[in-house]
Structure formats: C-alpha cells, structure tokens
Amino acid sequence: MGPVLGIESSCDETASAVLDAEGHVLAESVLSQEREHAPYGGVVPEIAARAHLAVLPDQVRRVMAQAGLTFAELGGVAASGGPGLIGGLIVGSQFAKGIAIAHGVPYVAVNHLEAHALTARLPGLVQEGVEFPYLLLLVSGGHCQCVAVRGVGQHERLGSTMDDAAGEAFDKVAKLLGLGWPGGPALEKLAAGGDASRHGFPRPLLGRAGCDFSFSGLKTAVAHEVARHEAGALPKQVAADIAASFQRAVAEVLADRASHAMAMMPEARVLVVAGGVAANGTIRSALTAAAAARGFQLVAPPVRLCTDNAVMVAWAGIERLRLGLVNSLDFAPRPRWPL
Ligand code: KG4
Ligand code: ZN
C-alpha cells in the first residue's frame, strides 16, 4: 500500500498529514483557528467552515511536497467524516473525494472519535503500538466518554457525560475567571500558583457505579464562589486558588470514573487518554495513579497527538485500508456519529 493522506476539519483545526503505510509520519501540519474564534469566546461554525476552505488546499499541497509525493502515489486519502461541525466536515470530505476521483485513490471516511481512539496504536508511540483490547478515556472540548476499544470499528461506550464535556467545563470556568478562550491551557497555568485545597468544590458522581460523568454542578459551584467576590477582575490569588481547586476536582472525578471503567473492562491492561484535556499535567498524574492502582498502564500520546490533528486521521485510514474498509464517494458527512 502507498502512503496515506489524512485531513482533519471537524472543528477548529485545519490539519493535513501524510503517513507511510507502516504509520511513520512523512509530513504534518496543523493550523488552529484560535485567533478567528477568540473574539466570540467559542467556535463559530460558519467562520470555521470558511477558514478550512481558505487554508486546506495550500496546506495539502505543502504536506504532499514535504513528503515528496504526487497524489497518484497515495494508497488512500482519509478525512474526518464526523462527528463535528457540518460545514467543516463537508469541506474536508469533499476535498478528499476530489483527490480520490481525480487520481483514482481509495477514499476513507474516518470517524473522528475512532481516530482519537486508534492514535495509541501508532507505531513508535508505545513500541509497536498498543494492542487491542484497551480502554480509552476521551476528554476534549466536545467529548467526554470511556470507550472499550476491541478492534477497528469495534467500540463500546461504557459511559459518557450527562451534561458538559470536561474541556467545556474548563472553558466555562476559565471564562468565569476572566481568562481567554480556549480556557484549558490558561486555567492550568493560573492554577500552578494556586492552593488546590482552598475550596472543597463538589465531585459530581464520585464513587457512583458506572463511568458516566457530570460537570455542571461543579461549574455552578465555581460560579457561586466567583459571585461572592466583587464584580470585575478577581484578585490574582483568589482566581488562582479557585482554578487550582477546580482542576483538582476535575482530576479526582476523571480518575474515579476511569477507575470504574477499568473495573468494567478487566480484560484490558492499558488505559489510553486522548483529547485536549489530556494535555493537563494534574489530570495526567491523577490518571497515572488510578491506572497503577488497577494494574493498568496509562498511555498518553504526546500533546500534539492528543489534540485534533491529521496524523490520527491518516492512521485510522491506514487501519481501515488494511482491512479493506473503504467508503464510496456518496458518503455523506455526519454531524452526529457516535462510536
Ligand atoms: O481535543 P481538542 O483539541 O478539541 C476538541 O474539542 O475536539 O480539545 C480542546 C479542549 C478545550 O476545551 C481546551 O480548553 C481543553 O481541550 N484543553 C485543556 C488543556 N489544553 C486543552 N484543558 C485542561 N488543561 C489543559 N492543559
Ligand atoms: Zn477531537
């Protein structure tokens, strides 16, 4: 099989990558639309779709040149086909189909969540890649779920959030604290100078059976705490203590929920964490400890592979192509596409 081109455009990152058939990265690029959306404090779908369209053709040309390949040499072209914002999904999918038609290359519509899930199997990450089955904790701005990953296309959702995603909670609390968007990284930075034991914020669903999540009660508790202070900018130390206490609460909840999920999947030995929130150091340490306590190994891909990227899309494409799983060109992108 020839190298595979991957395209990601489901949210606010435009990304392209070329991997050889074994999964080694030949070229990759991620362009974040952070600057376009920041004035609105969140992703604006129409702006996202237009921004994907504006940068994708050049970006693909660039990664193909870096990889030293022509389109006809590709073994496949894979694009995120959902779930996500429909405008961006259409841009990436149609672009991939165009290449497939023009150059007679197989087309693969990749489930974005499966791409996050399969990232841990990239060779080189953990020796030759994690073997099935394993447990995935996906914590991003739009998703928060525990998934039993048993094979390509063989996933079982063990639990998911009843309200906000973990990253969404970070973003909302960051907003309450007057931080910019996206809030996660800024909140983690602020929390570094705070006292995490200053506030005993609630730990929603802690100890409860199963591995569902909930963050709205925690977020409301933070809002009440913020409201106790005078309107306007919070004193730096007050904000830092709230940030640190919130972050600890989220870390404890995620560790507890993951621990329950591990108990639900005793046949697995590896807990994989993916999604933007997996970049958080406090959360990684809490999950490492929770995994160790259950005799699991925690695999956390490097941050650039945890957040949205096209390496994971190309890799998921390779996994599918190896099994002969290709899509026809009438595939319609799916805003909702649960695992
Ligand atoms: O996976 P991702 O890049 O995009 C999707 O949502 O699909 O995740 C972005 C989310 C945002 O909510 C962001 O605030 C959060 O991940 N995030 C973090 C950190 N870095 C990113 N949350 C907590 N701590 C971080 N260091
Ligand atoms: Zn994602």
Side-chain angles (χ1 to χ4, degrees):
M1 182 169 73
V4 171
L5 168 66
I7 294 173
E8 161 59 33
S9 61
S10 67
C11 191
D12 61 336
E13 266 88 28
T14 315
S16 306
V18 185
L19 272 57
D20 71 18
E22 280 71 51
H24 304 112
V25 179
L26 302 178
E28 65 176 300
S29 166
V30 180
L31 296 169
S32 168
Q33 302 174 358
E34 229 166 271
R35 230 176 322 139
E36 281 89 335
H37 300 294
Y40 306 94
V43 179
V44 182
E46 181 64 23
I47 293 177
R50 286 171 190 272
H52 289 305
L53 191 57
V55 299
L56 190 59
D58 249 7
Q59 185 187 52
V60 166
R61 225 170 280 134
R62 216 162 355 99
V63 294
M64 290 297 291
Q66 268 168 27
L69 293 169
T70 63
F71 288 117
E73 289 171 294
L74 290 174
V77 51
S80 280
L85 300 172
I86 190 64
L89 291 171
I90 289 173
V91 170
S93 301
Q94 297 306 97
F95 197 82
K97 289 178 192 176
I99 294 169
I101 293 171
H103 303 280
V105 171
Y107 160 70
V108 185
V110 167
N111 179 308
H112 178 91
L113 303 177
E114 176 166 69
H116 276 300
L118 296 177
T119 304
R121 290 172 47 78
L122 261 175
L125 216 59
V126 179
Q127 288 126 22
E128 289 311 298
V130 176
E131 302 220 352
F132 298 123
Y134 55 87
L135 180 70
L136 170 76
L137 172 66
L138 178 58
V139 276
S140 69
H143 306 281
C144 188
Q145 48 189 260
C146 281
V147 181
V149 182
R150 301 207 165 87
V152 175
Q154 294 173 41
H155 315 290
E156 184 194 351
R157 201 163 50 173
L158 302 177
S160 58
T161 185
M162 299 158 68
D163 37 63
D164 291 346
E168 198 179 351
F170 265 93
D171 291 338
K172 288 177 177 171
V173 166
K175 202 170 188 175
L176 289 170
L177 297 177
L179 304 172
W181 178 87
L187 193 147
E188 180 175 19
K189 214 163 142 204
L190 177 64
D195 173 6
S197 58
R198 178 79 182 73
H199 303 283
F201 291 134
R203 270 72 170 150
L205 301 183
L206 194 87
R208 206 77 76 78
C211 60
D212 283 336
F213 305 81
S214 168
F215 294 101
S216 69
L218 170 58
K219 184 188 64 192
T220 305
V222 173
H224 284 315
E225 182 55 37
V226 171
R228 288 187 347 109
H229 300 270
E230 267 177 58
L234 286 175
K236 178 93 191 273
Q237 194 56 48
V238 170
D241 289 349
I242 293 175
S245 303
F246 163 79
Q247 182 174 267
R248 179 183 279 182
V250 175
E252 281 182 21
V253 166
L254 290 179
D256 174 74
R257 308 286 70 208
S259 180
H260 278 240
M262 287 183 272
M264 291 161 78
M265 202 188 174
E267 71 275 26
R269 292 271 56 90
V270 171
L271 169 66
V272 173
V273 58
V277 178
N280 187 285
T282 302
I283 290 171
R284 281 191 184 218
S285 330
L287 292 172
T288 305
R294 292 265 181 212
F296 274 57
Q297 182 198 352
L298 181 80
V299 172
V303 171
R304 73 171 226 284
L305 297 177
C306 276
T307 51
D308 286 348
N309 66 87
V311 170
M312 69 178 189
V313 178
W315 173 247
I318 291 169
E319 292 247 43
R320 296 191 84 80
L321 285 163
R322 282 178 180 168
L323 299 174
L325 300 170
V326 296
N327 289 87
S328 66
L329 295 170
D330 63 358
F331 173 87
R334 301 178 187 165
R336 293 179 164 275
W337 189 0
L339 277 181

